[in-house]
Amino acid sequence: DTTARLNFMHAVAQAWDAGKLFHIALNDQEPGRYDQDFRFGAYNPKSAFALVRFLEGVGYDGPRHFDAHAYRTSDPADVQAFATGCIRTYLILAEKAKQFAADAEVQALISEMVETDRRADLPDAARSGPYSAARVAAIRAHDYDASSLGQRGRPYERLDQLTTEILLGVR
């Protein structure tokens, strides 16, 4: 998905929502590049965090496999360090996901966004729930007030900064 510049997180969430996430292959790479198979979390730790947070949050208990490889110049000890690093990064990010979930300021921002959506002029189908053709039809049929939706405001930058601080270990 990332090779084709698609959002891997969305694909995983869709598979989970459809009851079809039986296995996940974890690695990292620069979007739009060939299948680089970098060590998990090596290129984009924030994306890796979002994925781990999702998997841990939904209670995914299926296999996690690291579809990645050490550099071709690595010796056996470096290959072992590579494998250990993939696992260690996942476990660190799982702990960071717990910290994120327990952070009062983070949760207050998320609650604020959810409450803003509740007050917005959105059809129930647009708020939450699994994908369905009926939900898509309801969303498309709704007459949205673009002006009021544009004025809702979102504290995304503050939430992103808090996420960064959690990942960098300063929070």
Side-chain angles (χ1 to χ4, degrees):
D1 287 339
T2 306
T3 305
R5 292 196 177 270
L6 299 175
N7 187 310
F8 183 66
M9 183 65 231
H10 288 173
V12 172
Q14 285 179 320
W16 175 261
D17 186 57
K20 301 203 180 268
L21 186 62
F22 307 114
H23 169 271
I24 189 159
L26 303 166
N27 64 28
D28 209 349
Q29 73 176 54
E30 185 175 349
R33 299 292 302 260
Y34 61 93
D35 196 10
Q36 295 166 307
D37 293 335
F38 292 143
R39 181 176 31 83
F40 181 66
Y43 180 78
N44 191 335
K46 198 181 290 181
S47 289
F49 169 71
L51 180 59
V52 171
R53 184 173 159 256
F54 174 80
L55 293 172
E56 297 296 311
V58 299
Y60 173 73
D61 63 356
R64 293 160 180 84
H65 128 228
F66 297 99
D67 178 23
H69 56 79
Y71 294 120
R72 285 163 177 76
T73 56
S74 294
D75 62 10
D78 202 39
V79 171
Q80 179 64 44
F82 168 84
T84 301
C86 285
I87 296 166
R88 181 162 164 71
T89 298
Y90 186 96
L91 295 173
I92 290 167
L93 293 175
E95 285 302 312
K96 295 294 183 180
K98 289 178 189 173
Q99 182 182 352
F100 184 91
D103 189 289
E105 189 173 1
V106 165
Q107 295 311 309
L109 287 173
I110 292 170
S111 293
E112 176 185 327
M113 288 189 275
V114 168
E115 185 56 33
T116 299
D117 280 348
R118 279 196 191 105
R119 291 189 312 263
D121 179 30
L122 296 174
D124 287 342
R127 294 177 198 268
S128 65
Y131 171 86
S132 71
R135 284 192 69 226
V136 171
I139 291 168
R140 286 182 176 159
H142 186 73
D143 185 26
Y144 294 94
D145 179 357
S147 179
S148 71
L149 288 174
Q151 294 174 6
R152 288 187 299 169
R154 289 283 199 245
Y156 287 132
E157 289 301 328
R158 181 69 186 137
L159 183 59
D160 185 66
Q161 181 61 37
L162 294 175
T163 302
T164 299
E165 290 175 11
I166 287 169
L167 290 175
L168 294 176
V170 296
R171 186 165 179 84

